[in-house]
Amino acid sequence: MRERNEFAECGPSPRGPLATWPLFALVGWLSAACLILPNAPALARGPNVVVIFADDLGYGDLGCYGHPTIRTPHLDRMAAEGVRLTQFYSASSVCTPSRAALLTGRLPIRSGMCSDQRRVLFPNSGGGLPASEITIAAALRDRGYATACIGKWHLGHLPPFLPTRHGFDQYFGIPYSNDMDRVNDAPAGREAFWNPEVRYWNVPLMRDEEIIERPADQTTITRRYTEEAVGFIRKNRERPFFLYLPHSLPHVPLFRSAEFADKSARGLYGDVIEEIDWSVGQVLETLRELELDQQTIVWFTSDNGPWLSFDSHGGSAGLLREGKGMTWDGGMRVPGIAWWPGTIPAGRTELGLATTMDILPTSIRMAGGELPTDRVLDGHDLTGLLRGEAPSPRAEVLFYRGTRLMAIRKGPWKAHFVTQGSYVGNTQPQVHDPPLLFQLDVDPSEKWNVAERYPEVIAELKAAAESHQAAVEPVPSQLEIPLAGR
Ligand code: MG
């Protein structure tokens, strides 16, 4: 029977046989269950949660976000049936910190998953996501969910940091970026990327905690992730599940399977996106076929903006300024689509502020759980926003580069205290006093600095940044721990 899922707090809805119970008996039973079993799996089924996370896919790379030649019919349909967020941000402009933030609902500076020395983890890194962090997977598994990570991890490749140690029942994927472990006889510099071959990068493919293939055959990796994801959904159709599906692509080097070769007018990069779009279609079609679509919330987003310096092998931030690695909006504003037929109203474009960090509290609350109280969460519960019943609870977005707060957004205003990097070459930090100020609702491309006209806005944003910084407790960076030091 198809049922519209509600956000369960602690008990089942009185349907079917339960509907014949006397009301007092039902209330008594529910109360007793909640008192006796506070940590038991959710009694009523919370929604399944699926997070599809692309790597380095830009704000402008999907048809439904305005790309003129990349065809993304499945993502376009997903957006048409759900909500398309136009002011949705990742928590970092590079991989590792962004992934840590998504999975923990916290700024990476709170978990030590950022650094001023190394921007991401490397194969010679000895650190990873600390065991003390609570991931979406761990929180939902506590509520009876089956959990799987299928794709690129990049939160520590040593055993203590793998997905299987962070709440995931199973893992299939590569432990860090697909351009790492480059072999010595690969073509030098960027030559290897322009005509990539699998053998140039000795990246391992892992199942749980074992390496099963090396180098990973990246030409078939999107298809294989998809098959694993569909298999996981089928296997767990009778119980709630959390599927985290972080694709390795379109991070360079670009690979796609034979079925998608030379199909896109956008070239190789377009082929890669169109295969990911196919993959999204497979996941959604499986949910429909199993009649789980009305019991499942699916997210699609990206870890950071496009890697613009890779020319046609990098994506597009659309009308946003700059891309990956930078705290201009093109580095951190990403597509954000949420889909849950019957619960999220179809066809809405949402302008409210939201971030990937909001997925953790939203998922836990939808599953009927309580948010952890022993730590600071930077995410907000977006349930009301997604249902179209409330404005976004988020007032601010913070833009970090490593441990440095570079910029802050409050409402339509964004102040840059420091800028660094440009895909055309500038890499030195530039301090701005007064900060640069942009009114993003009017000027999403961050073209017109209006600082002189709005000193009171500058003062307010400065005060918000200072009060945030005063409350952040520094923790040792995990990204600076060398492999040899362990
Ligand atoms: Mg990335």
Side-chain angles (χ1 to χ4, degrees):
M1 182 178 70
R2 287 181 89 132
E3 294 180 338
R4 175 186 163 127
N5 186 78
E6 298 294 341
F7 306 147
E9 288 299 319
C10 65
S13 305
R15 292 193 184 97
L18 284 177
T20 61
W21 285 24
L23 186 59
F24 66 86
L26 178 64
V27 170
W29 181 81
L30 286 173
S31 306
C34 289
L35 285 172
I36 295 166
L37 301 170
N39 296 316
L43 298 174
R45 180 168 172 159
N48 307 309
V49 179
V50 177
V51 177
I52 305 174
F53 203 40
D55 194 347
D56 294 2
L57 181 142
Y59 187 82
D61 279 331
L62 307 180
C64 52
Y65 280 80
H67 200 283
T69 55
I70 298 176
R71 294 166 299 190
T72 53
H74 300 289
L75 282 156
D76 299 351
R77 178 179 173 187
M78 179 182 172
E81 293 176 353
V83 60
R84 184 176 66 98
L85 298 139
T86 58
Q87 310 216 61
F88 190 77
Y89 289 88
S90 67
S92 174
S93 64
V94 288
C95 290
T96 296
S98 173
R99 284 149 205 273
L102 167 86
L103 284 177
T104 63
R106 284 150 59 79
L107 287 165
I109 195 168
R110 300 192 198 278
S111 59
M113 292 302 284
C114 58
S115 159
D116 297 323
Q117 313 303 321
R118 315 192 97 193
R119 302 209 63 199
V120 299
L121 290 164
F122 288 89
N124 65 359
S125 297
L129 188 67
S132 54
E133 291 298 316
I134 299 171
T135 65
I136 302 173
L140 293 184
R141 187 158 76 173
D142 279 354
R143 302 205 53 86
Y145 280 59
T147 56
C149 173
I150 298 168
K152 168 177 163 180
W153 178 239
H154 214 181
L155 294 174
H157 68 287
L158 299 179
F161 310 115
L162 288 172
T164 42
R165 311 292 180 96
H166 275 294
F168 290 98
D169 300 330
Q170 61 187 82
Y171 172 49
F172 177 80
I174 65 174
Y176 37 72
S177 294
N178 64 336
D179 65 339
M180 293 178 175
D181 283 331
R182 186 157 154 175
V183 299
N184 290 332
D185 63 347
R190 296 200 167 183
E191 277 306 306
F193 293 90
W194 304 140
N195 291 295
E197 293 186 24
V198 166
R199 65 183 178 87
Y200 295 166
W201 293 273
N202 195 31
V203 180
L205 179 70
M206 304 185 71
R207 185 175 292 286
D208 299 328
E209 299 188 3
E210 304 294 326
I211 293 174
I212 57 169
E213 183 178 299
R214 191 167 195 171
D217 181 356
Q218 297 196 47
T219 61
T220 57
I221 206 155
T222 298
R223 177 173 57 72
R224 287 190 286 168
Y225 288 163
T226 307
E227 290 166 356
E228 288 279 329
V230 167
F232 172 77
I233 292 170
R234 289 190 185 283
K235 184 174 141 204
N236 292 288
R237 61 189 294 179
E238 302 295 341
R239 59 180 290 202
F241 58 80
F242 170 54
L243 168 62
Y244 174 50
L245 179 50
H247 284 285
S248 314
L249 296 159
H251 192 293
V252 292
L254 300 175
F255 292 98
R256 76 290 200 227
S257 57
E259 293 80 1
F260 289 86
D262 305 321
K263 291 287 178 10
S264 173
R266 172 61 175 81
L268 175 55
Y269 186 86
D271 289 347
V272 172
I273 302 298
E274 292 183 11
E275 185 163 18
I276 289 173
D277 178 72
W278 164 83
S279 174
V280 171
Q282 294 292 299
V283 169
L284 299 188
E285 196 49 45
T286 303
L287 294 170
R288 289 187 195 99
E289 177 202 323
L290 299 177
E291 299 189 345
L292 293 175
D293 50 329
Q294 299 199 21
Q295 296 181 50
T296 306
I297 179 167
V298 183
W299 295 87
F300 180 89
T301 185
S302 177
D303 68 336
N304 51 253
W307 208 343
L308 298 175
S309 64
F310 272 90
D311 299 353
S312 66
H313 287 232
S316 167
L319 81 177
L320 305 179
R321 183 166 174 177
E322 292 285 357
K324 175 175 179 170
M326 284 161 259
T327 46
W328 297 101
D329 257 37
M332 292 172 58
R333 200 196 298 197
V334 286
I337 304 170
W339 179 91
W340 183 358
T343 297
I344 295 176
R348 196 157 54 91
T349 297
E350 172 59 53
L351 275 57
L353 294 179
T355 77
T356 55
M357 292 181 290
D358 301 328
I359 296 176
L360 176 136
T362 305
S363 302
I364 294 176
R365 295 299 296 140
M366 285 178 174
E370 296 298 328
L371 303 182
T373 54
D374 63 341
R375 62 197 60 215
V376 176
L377 287 184
D378 296 290
H380 295 268
D381 177 4
L382 298 181
T383 299
L385 177 84
L386 295 175
R387 297 184 76 140
E389 295 169 352
S392 173
R394 172 174 289 281
E396 290 178 2
V397 178
L398 298 158
F399 299 80
Y400 272 90
R401 180 186 173 96
T403 65
R404 189 171 195 176
L405 183 64
M406 308 282 281
I408 184 171
R409 177 170 181 179
K410 208 165 160 49
W413 302 102
K414 181 175 175 186
H416 291 262
F417 308 110
V418 189
T419 53
Q420 182 173 3
S422 159
Y423 80 97
V424 291
N426 162 32
T427 58
Q428 294 306 310
Q430 295 185 299
V431 177
H432 304 284
D433 187 16
L436 307 177
L437 183 70
F438 300 96
Q439 189 177 2
L440 290 188
D441 286 356
V442 173
D443 177 21
S445 304
E446 298 172 277
K447 281 186 195 166
W448 308 305
N449 177 18
V450 293
E452 284 187 8
R453 282 159 53 192
Y454 297 99
E456 72 287 358
V457 174
I458 297 262
E460 187 187 342
L461 267 62
K462 263 186 165 172
E466 282 163 12
S467 103
H468 162 74
Q469 285 180 297
V472 172
E473 293 179 18
V475 297
S477 172
Q478 293 292 309
L479 277 53
E480 291 168 21
I481 298 173
L483 193 60
R486 296 193 60 81

